[in-house]
Every structure is written in structure tokens, then in C-alpha cells.
Amino acid sequence: MKLQFTIEGGNFSNAGHAASEIKKMLKQLGIEARCIRNIVIAMYEAEVNVVAHAFEGQILVDIETDKITTEIIDKGPGIPDIELAMQEGYSTASKKVREMGFGAGMGLPNIKKNTDEFYIESTVNSGTTLKMINYF
Amino acid sequence: MQISKICQLLSARIICGEELSTAQIERGYSSDLMSDVLTLDTDNLLLITGMCNLQTIRTSEMADIRFIVFVRNKKVNDDMLALAKENNLCILESPFTLFKASGILYQAGLKPVY
């Protein structure tokens, strides 16, 4: 089953919409609660990252019998140093993002922690693509 | 600890999810930082927070947290309430500070996450 969502940069009120929809679907499919939690936390963190840092983004979800693959492709400033961005506590988030309770530099490490496979590619002044796979 | 007892201890009122007032909560976590809340892997948790916006409700939805107490007299808005109801969350509002609310609950036996 393939699904697609769009993310609007800067629009915090919609952040989490895709993760919420996916959570409902996975529940209906009878996936174990802890597995769902890992998947939707990773997806939600990724959505918040796009809202916080990029201009726009797309989420492509593919649910198969044994796994879920999610790609989050954004158009934005990109990440100059991925290794640095993966360190807990490193953040370039704005004051507005921090006021929303995010931007503590926990997002990318937490996405990695909650996924079985995690890949990140980024081009400065173009955008960032995340690929996450979780097995059921 | 029962939700109704938490209400009594924190002079709190239930904004939604009243049917869960007899539920037993084992642990509490106090934070205004949703990034930290999303790193938890704990069931049967009460989130105690002064971060009162839609993303607090979203964060709880994702982290399977069903009980939230908003401290410092923060008021839940209509969008938050609708999302909380959709996800069957139980929401409390307390006039106490985060420090006072956490201290009272800890003293009364609510366990920390770590």
C-alpha cells in the first residue's frame, strides 16, 4: 500500500498529520503497539524537522506485509555537516521552533533510534532526503 | 495513583477524558521539551507540562501518552481539545507550577521514569 503526504514548511499546526494517519492505519492492520510507536515517533520527528527547517516536503510511505518504508524528501537549506547534525544536542533551530518545545538537537538521533534502517542524504541549498525502514 | 487523586492533589480539573478518572497511573514525567518526551519508552505515564500547544497533544498521541496535566494555569484551546478527544486523551489543568506539581506527586508516591 503506497501513500503520499505533503508538508508545508513553517506550518506547525499540521505537523504530525501524516504520522497520525499512518498510526491509525497500522493499528487497523493489527501491528504491535510498540512497533507502531517507534514508526510514528520517527515519522513525527521527521515531519517536525521539515516544518522547522525546510520550505516544503513530501512523505512517501510504502506499507508491505513485513515492513514499512518511509521517505521524507524536502526542499530547503540542506544539512552541511550530517555527522554533526546526528549528534545529540546539536541544533540550528530558530527561537520559534524552540518555543514550540522542539529544536533541542534530539530529532535525527531519535529517528535513528526508532528505526531499523535509516539513511540520510543532503545537498546544501537544495534539500534533504531521509529513508527509514521498520520491520513489523 | 488514580487520576481523581491527582486532580485532588494538584487542585486540577479534568478538561476531557473524564471517563478515565479511575485509571491508575504508575509514573510521571515533567518536561516542557517535547523533544525529550519523544525519547521516552514508558507505558502508563502522566506528562506534567507547561508547554501548552497543539504539538503537546500530537507528541502525546505519537508517544502513546494518554494523560497530561497542564500546569501554571495554562488553558487548553479548542484545537487542542478536539485533537485530545479524537485520541481519547485525559487532560487536566492545574494552577500549580511544574515544580510544585511534580513535588507533590512524587511525595505522594508517583514514580519517576528515571
Side-chain angles (χ1 to χ4, degrees), chain B:
Chain B
M1 188 182 297
Q2 210 165 44
I3 286 292
S4 55
K5 188 180 176 191
I6 292 170
C7 277
Q8 193 188 336
L9 288 169
L10 302 184
S11 295
R13 65 188 192 103
I14 300 183
I15 304 304
C16 74
E18 206 149 337
E19 66 281 4
L20 296 170
S21 65
T22 55
Q24 290 283 347
I25 307 296
E26 199 186 344
R27 291 173 197 278
Y29 188 78
S30 304
S31 180
D32 282 357
L33 191 60
M34 295 302 113
S35 302
D36 276 348
V37 176
L38 285 167
T39 64
L40 299 176
D41 189 15
T42 309
D43 293 321
N44 202 11
L45 184 74
L46 172 73
L47 173 63
I48 309 151
T49 185
M51 180 58 74
C52 191
N53 61 40
L54 196 61
Q55 294 313 314
T56 309
I57 310 291
R58 279 283 186 220
T59 297
S60 301
E61 175 192 356
M62 301 310 157
D64 288 334
I65 295 170
R66 295 189 69 196
F67 304 92
I68 309 170
V69 53
F70 288 105
V71 293
R72 300 197 293 268
N73 229 358
K74 301 287 180 190
K75 300 295 175 205
V76 172
N77 67 29
D78 291 345
D79 289 346
M80 292 168 70
L81 191 61
L83 192 60
K85 282 181 177 168
E86 189 187 317
N87 288 287
N88 301 315
L89 303 188
C90 178
I91 308 281
L92 280 58
E93 287 175 353
S94 166
F96 296 172
T97 61
L98 185 62
F99 179 76
K100 185 174 175 179
S102 306
I104 288 170
L105 295 177
Y106 181 76
Q107 197 171 34
L110 197 68
K111 292 179 195 160
V113 174
Y114 54 84

Side-chain angles (χ1 to χ4, degrees), chain A:
Chain A
M1 184 172 20
K2 291 186 193 233
L3 300 137
Q4 194 172 333
F5 302 90
T6 55
I7 315 171
E8 195 185 328
N11 185 354
F12 263 99
S13 58
N14 270 338
H17 175 72
S20 181
E21 290 300 311
I22 293 298
K23 184 173 185 177
K24 285 177 196 130
M25 269 175 214
L26 294 177
K27 264 186 178 174
Q28 280 177 356
L29 291 171
I31 307 298
E32 193 238 336
R34 194 162 287 256
C35 184
I36 296 178
R37 179 153 76 189
N38 291 341
I39 293 162
V40 299
I41 282 178
M43 198 178 292
Y44 179 52
E45 291 269 25
E47 272 186 82
V48 169
N49 275 351
V50 174
V51 171
H53 298 286
F55 311 126
E56 60 180 53
Q58 287 229 313
I59 305 180
L60 308 174
V61 182
D62 188 6
I63 303 173
E64 295 168 86
T65 49
D66 63 331
K67 67 180 178 185
I68 177 168
T69 306
T70 309
E71 280 185 277
I72 293 109
I73 305 150
D74 77 43
K75 286 181 189 165
I79 303 169
D81 187 337
I82 289 174
E83 204 179 318
L84 187 61
M86 288 302 299
Q87 284 179 20
E88 279 188 13
Y90 179 80
S91 176
T92 59
S94 66
K95 191 167 173 264
K96 186 188 164 200
V97 173
R98 290 172 198 267
E99 280 170 359
M100 297 294 291
F102 294 98
M106 306 293 285
L108 286 175
N110 203 28
I111 291 173
K112 192 176 180 185
K113 192 186 106 185
N114 280 286
T115 49
D116 294 318
E117 290 179 38
F118 171 67
Y119 308 95
I120 178 166
E121 281 177 6
S122 192
T123 308
V124 173
N125 294 328
S126 176
T128 302
T129 297
L130 303 187
K131 186 175 178 183
M132 328 188 281
I133 301 174
N134 282 68
Y135 295 91
F136 301 140

